[in-house]
Amino acid sequence: MNERSIGGTPVVSVVLPTYNRLPLLRQAIASVVGQTFGDWELIVADDGSTDGTRGYLEAIDDPRVRPLWMEHRGDLTSARSAGLKHARSEWVAFLDSDDLWLPGKLELQLRRLAAQPECRWSYTGYSLIDTEGTSLPERSDLLPRPISGYILEPLLRLNVSTPVPTMLVQRSLIEEIGGFDETIPIHSDYDFALRLAACSEVLALPDILTLVREHPDRTTARLRLAELYADQERVFRKAAAATADRKIQVLCLHQCAMQLAGQAAALSRERSHGAAFAALVRAGRIAPFKGAVWRTAVGCALRALGVFT
């Protein structure tokens, strides 16, 4: 499926941010070039790499590959957003420089989306691999099953997973929701998925068409657990403020309380007891009768008293 679109504009823009991941970047780009659907442009947003990435990209003899040179910011979301501004196509796909696509990914998504025009975005099944590309079946088997339709509620309940590299989204829908929120440093991809799900049905392909790499250099692997919880709470708080649906709002606030409790537990283990109790106070104001919050409070108190570590 390699026919070209009319007028020279490709059917799909692929946005790929990268920074100092040349060996993995080579594999990621090869997985795009190897797609059975060939009418795409690949925008590689290089966040100021210093490892030879520029020379590699400049040497690629394929006019579909369009490097975008940036000053280093160390921010994946801003690199994605910069690449997105240069996208010309009706459909936009995303790939991270440490992940891979299987050859039929774009072709299958486009074909099935054409048969379901009410769906303005799609995501696929995926599995996990390690640094060397070896599959991790014990982890992959625990991943939730892809669900089609209006998935905002299961997405908020964390019963479904929609990694950005699995997505194919109408550019008009991305523009409608305002793109990626660069004020959310860690979980901007989850916030992005929530806003997509609030606006459109989704077409989920159960096929494993994306490989997500788990490795020590992955962005979230370098962050404190307390930071991850705090950022996730920010996402749920934003989602609660954005909806007029009382059921969805209550669910968002419940998740806020759970993230604050998780943050408190992480801070307590760091011996930041004052910050831990401050997070618990916020959780208690949101969900004063939630047992998990009170159990976390007891654990934090015992840890502060030195009863256990």
Side-chain angles (χ1 to χ4, degrees):
M1 189 175 180
N2 290 298
E3 60 272 15
R4 302 296 295 177
S5 57
I6 298 172
T9 302
V11 172
V12 179
S13 294
V14 182
V15 176
L16 194 164
T18 190
Y19 174 69
N20 281 357
R21 281 183 175 162
L22 182 53
L24 297 180
L25 176 64
R26 293 178 187 272
Q27 298 176 42
I29 290 179
S31 78
V32 178
V33 174
Q35 289 295 297
T36 56
F37 179 84
D39 193 4
W40 46 260
E41 63 176 358
L42 173 60
I43 303 163
V44 183
D46 178 41
D47 188 36
S49 293
T50 59
D51 64 346
T53 291
R54 186 178 189 117
Y56 162 67
L57 291 173
E58 288 177 336
I60 294 177
D61 186 21
D62 189 330
R64 297 174 298 177
V65 180
R66 301 171 53 204
L68 174 63
W69 312 117
M70 304 173 58
E71 292 187 8
H72 180 59
R73 290 184 57 180
D75 180 356
L76 173 65
T77 302
S78 64
R80 271 193 190 132
S81 295
L84 189 55
K85 290 176 183 176
H86 288 75
R88 301 178 294 164
S89 308
E90 177 187 1
W91 293 96
V92 180
F94 304 92
L95 183 61
D96 291 341
S97 55
D98 47 358
D99 299 330
L100 302 169
W101 286 343
L102 272 63
K105 195 254 188 194
L106 292 179
E107 180 178 357
L108 281 170
Q109 283 184 295
L110 286 166
R111 182 188 300 161
R112 297 186 190 180
L113 280 164
Q116 294 187 243
E118 71 277 9
C119 297
R120 301 173 64 191
W121 65 299
S122 168
Y123 69 103
T124 76
Y126 68 101
S127 60
L128 303 175
I129 57 175
D130 65 13
T131 306
E132 305 304 319
T134 304
S135 63
L136 300 171
E138 70 285 355
R139 298 281 307 281
S140 300
D141 290 345
L142 300 176
L143 295 172
R145 180 178 59 85
I147 302 172
S148 293
Y150 285 107
I151 64 165
L152 180 58
E153 186 172 338
L155 196 56
L156 285 166
R157 293 186 184 279
L158 307 178
N159 291 334
V160 64
S161 177
T162 60
V164 168
T166 71
M167 292 182 182
L168 182 64
V169 189
Q170 270 189 348
R171 191 177 63 173
S172 60
L173 177 58
I174 296 173
E175 292 169 351
E176 187 177 314
I177 69 168
F180 291 94
D181 186 343
E182 296 182 37
T183 69
I184 298 174
I186 304 168
H187 291 106
S188 62
D189 50 352
Y190 180 53
D191 167 72
F192 181 70
L194 289 176
R195 288 182 287 123
L196 292 174
C199 289
S200 169
E201 293 184 66
V202 68
L203 173 64
L205 277 64
D207 317 61
I208 303 298
L209 296 171
T210 307
L211 303 178
V212 174
R213 199 183 303 265
E214 295 275 294
H215 60 100
D217 193 42
R218 197 166 183 87
T219 303
T220 53
R222 303 192 300 268
L223 297 170
R224 293 168 50 234
L225 191 57
E227 291 178 299
L228 295 173
Y229 279 119
D231 196 70
Q232 189 82 309
E233 189 270 335
R234 188 180 298 115
V235 172
F236 287 123
R237 184 160 24 95
K238 177 183 173 183
T243 184
D245 185 319
R246 182 58 182 166
K247 180 181 179 182
I248 294 297
Q249 189 177 62
V250 168
L251 175 56
C252 290
L253 292 174
H254 162 81
Q255 293 290 38
C256 283
M258 297 307 295
Q259 299 303 311
L260 286 165
Q263 181 188 12
L267 289 166
S268 175
R269 286 190 288 270
E270 293 177 3
R271 297 289 185 254
S272 298
H273 300 301
F277 284 111
L280 283 168
V281 167
R282 291 179 60 202
R285 287 173 179 164
I286 296 170
F289 305 110
K290 181 63 64 176
V293 173
W294 286 102
R295 287 192 294 272
T296 301
V298 170
C300 290
L302 292 174
R303 192 173 285 112
L305 292 170
V307 175
F308 63 82
T309 58

